[in-house]
């Protein structure tokens, strides 16, 4: 079987994009029609959606149109600066915590155990305040990245930019549970998770995509694909 290459305008082997198992469900004509209608989409990506939909061409077209309507999400230095401002309270508590713990170490080194314990207690208090501040900041960032107007237009799109790994996992767990209860099992629905590519992270290496992927597989037992760089697609 073959599929239309939208760039070369010719037929190419379908086996290049899908396994022999997938070829029993989808065919070259279906992919050719999709490639002609959605020239900006990778053939492999369309084949994955078509296969997940058991070869249902109309449902696949509907899902691809949904994906096509998703806007490019703003990231970069300006957004990173905003995140830093929203986490300033947490960072201030972290600095105070570290300072008290260092002072406690020094007090312990000179044998002043009482003072060391007092300083540890102060540092521990700031540590708890830091955790609370990060939790509040994470929710504020998520709401800012996913405002009501955006959720109304794209109810199954979750933008996780600006979140720490543990924060993102908790939010994904919560939001997936809500979406699963909202959409019946008889109705296929796709969910998009924007996890980023790491281009604007401090290290240039994104921890979030691999952590979310691992969570989806090991905890939610959900199959997913990469709809586009930095965006995961789940079909329920």
């Amino acid at each position: 079987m073959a599929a239309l290459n939208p760039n070369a305008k010719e037929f190419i082997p379908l086996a290049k994009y899908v396994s022999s198992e997938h070829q029993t469900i989808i065919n070259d004509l279906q992919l050719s029609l999709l490639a002609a209608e959605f020239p900006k989409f990778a053939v492999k990506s369309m084949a994955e959606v078509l296969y997940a939909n058991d070869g249902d061409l109309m449902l696949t077209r509907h899902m691809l149109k949904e994906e096509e309507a998703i806007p490019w999400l703003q990231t970069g230095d300006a957004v990173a600066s905003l995140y830093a401002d929203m986490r300033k309270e947490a960072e201030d508590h972290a600095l105070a915590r570290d300072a008290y713990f260092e002072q406690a170490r020094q007090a312990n080194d000179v044998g002043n155990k009482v003072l060391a314990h007092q300083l540890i207690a102060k540092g521990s208090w700031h540590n708890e305040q830091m955790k609370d501040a990060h939790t509040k900041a994470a929710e504020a960032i998520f709401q800012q990245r996913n405002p009501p107007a955006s959720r109304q237009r794209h109810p199954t799109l979750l933008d996780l930019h600006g979140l720490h790994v543990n924060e993102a996992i908790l939010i994904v767990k919560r939001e997936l549970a809500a979406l699963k209860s909202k959409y019946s099992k008889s109705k296929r629905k796709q969910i998009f998770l924007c996890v980023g590519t790491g281009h604007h992270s401090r290290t240039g290496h994104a921890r979030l995509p691999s952590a979310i992927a691992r969570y989806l597989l090991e905890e939610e037992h959900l199959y997913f694909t990469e709809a586009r760089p930095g965006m995961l697609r789940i079909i329920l």
Side-chain angles (χ1 to χ4, degrees):
M1 288 186 286
L4 180 68
N5 180 334
N7 297 318
K9 300 300 181 185
E10 61 186 16
F11 281 85
I12 53 180
L14 180 60
K16 182 177 180 181
Y17 296 102
V18 297
S19 66
S20 57
E21 177 189 4
H22 289 197
Q23 291 178 46
T24 62
I25 295 178
I26 62 180
N27 59 59
D28 59 325
L29 177 59
Q30 291 173 313
L31 277 182
S32 297
L33 291 171
L34 291 174
E37 185 173 359
F38 303 97
K40 294 182 180 180
F41 284 78
V43 176
K44 185 177 186 298
S45 178
M46 292 188 290
E48 290 169 342
V49 179
L50 185 59
Y51 177 74
N53 289 328
D54 298 325
D56 188 323
L57 186 62
M58 290 186 64
L59 180 57
T60 299
R61 290 179 66 250
H62 175 72
M63 288 189 171
L64 292 176
K65 286 181 178 179
E66 281 186 337
E67 182 181 344
E68 197 173 41
I70 294 176
W72 190 260
L73 301 173
Q74 183 182 8
T75 58
D77 294 339
V79 176
S81 177
L82 176 63
Y83 298 157
D85 290 342
M86 299 176 80
R87 292 193 185 272
K88 187 178 185 307
E89 181 183 351
E91 295 300 331
D92 288 343
H93 282 298
L95 290 173
R97 174 203 60 188
D98 294 345
Y100 277 122
F101 283 165
E102 174 59 22
Q103 292 172 30
R105 183 192 65 78
Q106 294 174 5
N108 186 68
D109 288 347
V110 298
N112 194 337
K113 306 292 185 182
V114 174
L115 178 59
H117 282 300
Q118 292 174 344
L119 292 168
I120 288 173
K122 290 182 179 180
S124 297
W125 182 84
H126 279 288
N127 191 54
E128 292 304 313
Q129 295 301 307
M130 177 202 70
K131 291 179 182 178
D132 289 342
H134 271 309
T135 298
K136 293 176 183 177
E139 190 61 38
I141 289 171
F142 179 73
Q143 295 302 329
Q144 197 243 17
R145 296 293 301 185
N146 301 268
S150 177
R151 293 301 299 272
Q152 188 172 7
R153 289 192 301 271
H154 309 288
T156 61
L157 172 64
L158 303 178
D159 185 356
L160 305 177
H161 280 96
L163 299 177
H164 298 163
V165 167
N166 60 323
E167 299 166 349
I169 288 175
L170 289 174
I171 286 177
V172 167
K173 181 178 181 180
R174 180 189 74 196
E175 297 296 322
L176 281 180
L179 289 169
K180 285 178 181 178
S181 65
K182 181 178 180 180
Y183 299 108
S184 65
K185 293 183 179 179
S186 61
K187 184 179 180 182
R188 286 281 174 87
K189 198 66 179 178
Q190 62 183 347
I191 299 170
F192 297 100
L193 305 181
C194 297
V195 295
T197 58
H199 291 158
H200 303 290
S201 66
R202 293 178 181 178
T203 62
H205 174 69
R207 293 176 56 235
L208 189 58
S210 58
I212 293 297
R214 187 164 56 250
Y215 171 77
L216 293 175
L217 289 173
E218 297 178 2
E219 301 297 330
E220 297 285 348
H221 307 293
L222 291 172
Y223 173 74
F224 64 89
T225 58
E226 188 175 50
R228 64 178 76 163
M231 180 184 290
L232 305 181
R233 177 201 294 112
I234 305 165
I235 297 181
L236 299 177

